[in-house]
Amino acid sequence: MEKAITFINDPHLVAFVDLWRGIIICDILDTKTQTASYVPMPKEIINLRRTRASSITRDIAVVNGRLTVVRLTTVFDPDINGWDWDLSTWSRAVDCLEQEDWREDSLVEASDILIDHNICNVELLPKIQGQPTMAKLHVALPTLSLTDAQVVYVMGKVNESDEKAVLLSIDMANRRLDAVSVYDAARILHYFDVCYTQSTIFRYSAPSSGD
């Protein structure tokens, strides 16, 4: 198991997640029956030949009452002489996990993502015919927003040896690049490592009074 998830509507339940196969859900306060339920991953992404950490290409979180999974797929495209990639998401309602099946919510290909040339740091993206593009990036670590199921973060590098990486914020619903942030690649231990995570802590921070 690589991740544990709790549910706001029932804090006694804990989901232990294997993002290659499925989820075991149990009541940690149930000392009598000690039963658990099993929810498999969407059939399209089950991979029994696990070869690496799932966080490189997958993430799972509870977002707006739905258990949501994102998968990043990469493929070498000889037409652009580089890597092309896509993001896909599935979800199912938390309050009826065992009754409702997975729903495929979105599929976005890198080549279809709209790029506003005026957003900050857009010049760090690779270029095709002089125009910034999402393709040709080395990408990994897709991460779901905890407040908006339509937003996925992805880390990317133009070249594997780059000292700087970019963190992309992608609007899945509108197939649009929302932001490009600079990430110091010196903080990454390997080619791509688990080096950031999502949080809702900003919800609990009060604005400064200026005193």
Side-chain angles (χ1 to χ4, degrees), residues 2-3 17-22 40-50 52-61 68-73 87-88 90 140-144 152-153 194 196 198:
E2 297 172 283
K3 194 167 186 177
V17 183
D18 178 343
L19 276 164
W20 298 117
R21 299 173 176 86
M41 284 288 115
K43 61 181 183 298
E44 296 91 341
I45 67 171
I46 291 176
N47 184 349
L48 301 180
R49 298 172 309 202
R50 176 178 182 164
R52 56 181 175 176
S54 61
S55 60
I56 295 295
T57 57
R58 302 178 179 202
D59 188 33
I60 187 169
T68 305
V69 176
V70 60
R71 177 186 65 173
L72 169 68
T73 303
L87 290 167
S88 48
W90 291 260
L141 304 174
T143 304
L144 291 158
V152 176
Y153 304 99
V194 180
Y196 71 99
Q198 68 273 67

Side-chain angles (χ1 to χ4, degrees), residues 84-140:
D84 203 356
W85 50 275
D86 65 57
L87 290 167
S88 48
T89 60
W90 291 260
S91 70
R92 60 198 298 167
V94 167
D95 55 7
C96 52
L97 278 176
E98 297 182 42
Q99 292 77 33
E100 182 181 296
D101 202 355
W102 291 101
R103 180 187 75 192
E104 185 170 4
D105 292 328
S106 57
L107 170 61
V108 176
E109 297 183 3
S111 56
D112 293 333
I113 297 175
L114 300 174
I115 300 175
D116 182 349
H117 294 193
N118 296 317
I119 64 174
C120 292
N121 303 314
V122 71
E123 71 278 1
L124 298 177
L125 297 177
K127 293 179 175 58
I128 294 179
Q129 296 181 348
Q131 299 298 314
T133 179
M134 300 291 283
K136 299 191 73 173
L137 272 175
H138 297 272
V139 290

